[in-house]
Amino acid sequence: MAWYCSGSTNNELIENLFKEGLIKDERVKQAMMAVDRGHYAPSRPYSDSPQPIGYGATISAPHMHGHACEYLINHLKPGSRVLDIGSGSGYLTHVLACLAVDTSSSDRPKGQVIGVDHIQELVTLAHDNMMKSKQGKKLLETESVKFIKADGRLGWPEGAPYDAIHVGAAAQELHPLLVEQLRSPGRMFIPVNAEDAQGTLARTVFGGGQYIWVVDKKEDGSIHKEKVFQVSYVPLTDPPK
Ligand code: SAH
């Protein structure tokens, strides 16, 4: 169904996703309207499909970015702290900043989004992509958005706790350090490789079963996990040699 929602401009793409019900939340729609995918996807930016960005990474399809934001939306308020692991092109990091950073006052903006990738070239690319727009440049200059080279499986403890954590690559497990870095209340959106009944990773048998898990840390610190839908992401791995 994805490609029916493509457009010839950013606005057309987002309007089509909204019309088809792939984006339902008005704030998510406005945030995705405010960030031009043309600055982030080197080819077919307004197609509702993932596109290669080099180094074995892809910019995810727009409807997946929309779903990720919608699952996290109740934890994305002006002033929220957000961690985006596997930030790749930097597109979603920018959209998350539109939802979490309060730029209304003339003081230092409140709220921050940290984008983490383990490939330095992609950290630089994300930064350069974001510098292409006036709004992106301001978010970087005020340190409302920071891109960092690190192993995302360890999170980024310096910035914790986070109201929301987005993971943009498929993990082997619900990394406990990430759950630890969530605020109470806070929510994580994470693709995880499925295991079969014997505990063997399904991808070794079927070549790739992955599900999005939504992990909630409640006000009292208790953890609630829910498996929500099947996906296909590049893996969260050791950095390439
Ligand atoms: N949200 C990004 C997705 C990029 S693809 C976008 O839409 O542009 C997934 C990214 O995860 C890649 O950039 C890859 O380099 C990164 N990645 C994989 N394993 C990682 C790890 N252990 N730590 C940090 N980043 C990782």
Side-chain angles (χ1 to χ4, degrees), residues 57-60 65 86 88-89 117-119 122 150-152 168 234-237:
T58 55
I59 175 170
S60 303
H65 286 141
S89 66
D117 207 287
H118 65 169
I119 298 179
L122 290 175
D151 183 348
V234 305
L236 192 68
T237 57

Side-chain angles (χ1 to χ4, degrees), residues 125-155:
L125 176 76
H127 183 275
D128 293 350
N129 285 342
M130 209 165 158
M131 288 295 280
K132 291 176 190 168
S133 66
K134 207 170 141 197
Q135 184 212 41
K137 191 164 179 262
K138 185 166 175 212
L139 287 164
L140 287 169
E141 280 169 359
T142 53
E143 296 194 351
S144 304
V145 170
K146 270 190 182 176
F147 289 105
I148 288 163
K149 177 181 176 281
D151 183 348
R153 293 171 293 190
L154 309 176

Side-chain angles (χ1 to χ4, degrees), residues 14-207:
I14 308 306
E15 283 293 358
N16 284 340
L17 289 167
F18 198 73
K19 255 188 248 159
E20 293 296 326
L22 291 168
I23 303 174
K24 294 187 177 73
D25 185 277
E26 187 59 35
R27 286 180 61 222
V28 171
K29 180 187 175 191
Q30 291 311 324
M32 289 178 74
M33 286 273 197
V35 182
D36 188 349
R37 275 183 83 87
H39 293 164
Y40 292 90
S43 59
R44 305 182 63 219
Y46 310 124
S47 154
D48 189 20
S49 56
Q51 299 294 334
I53 56 170
Y55 309 95
T58 55
I59 175 170
S60 303
H63 71 271
M64 274 310 305
H65 286 141
H67 290 333
C69 290
E70 293 196 336
Y71 273 99
L72 295 172
I73 194 69
N74 289 341
H75 301 271
L76 301 171
K77 309 240 164 72
S80 296
R81 297 194 55 76
V82 183
L83 184 62
D84 181 24
I85 296 171
S87 47
S89 66
Y91 169 79
L92 188 65
T93 321
H94 190 168
V95 172
L96 290 167
C98 292
L99 293 162
V101 176
D102 182 358
T103 48
S104 59
S105 86
S106 54
D107 304 341
R108 206 184 128 74
K110 295 189 185 68
Q112 191 182 40
V113 186
I114 310 280
V116 173
D117 207 287
H118 65 169
I119 298 179
Q120 181 56 52
E121 286 85 350
L122 290 175
V123 172
T124 306
L125 176 76
H127 183 275
D128 293 350
N129 285 342
M130 209 165 158
M131 288 295 280
K132 291 176 190 168
S133 66
K134 207 170 141 197
Q135 184 212 41
K137 191 164 179 262
K138 185 166 175 212
L139 287 164
L140 287 169
E141 280 169 359
T142 53
E143 296 194 351
S144 304
V145 170
K146 270 190 182 176
F147 289 105
I148 288 163
K149 177 181 176 281
D151 183 348
R153 293 171 293 190
L154 309 176
W156 184 251
E158 287 88 327
Y162 300 101
D163 299 277
I165 299 180
H166 170 264
V167 183
Q172 297 291 78
E173 55 170 325
L174 292 172
H175 292 287
L177 284 174
L178 301 184
V179 179
E180 213 170 273
Q181 289 170 36
L182 272 180
R183 192 190 296 283
S184 315
R187 176 174 269 203
M188 171 161 73
F189 177 100
I190 180 171
V192 183
N193 286 316
E195 289 189 6
D196 65 19
Q198 280 75 45
T200 316
L201 284 176
R203 78 193 152 82
T204 61
V205 184
F206 306 115

Side-chain angles (χ1 to χ4, degrees), residues 215-228:
V215 180
D216 282 310
K217 192 186 268 186
K218 308 278 188 196
E219 205 107 32
D220 64 3
S222 62
I223 307 293
H224 177 265
K225 306 168 194 173
E226 194 185 351
K227 183 172 155 182
V228 287

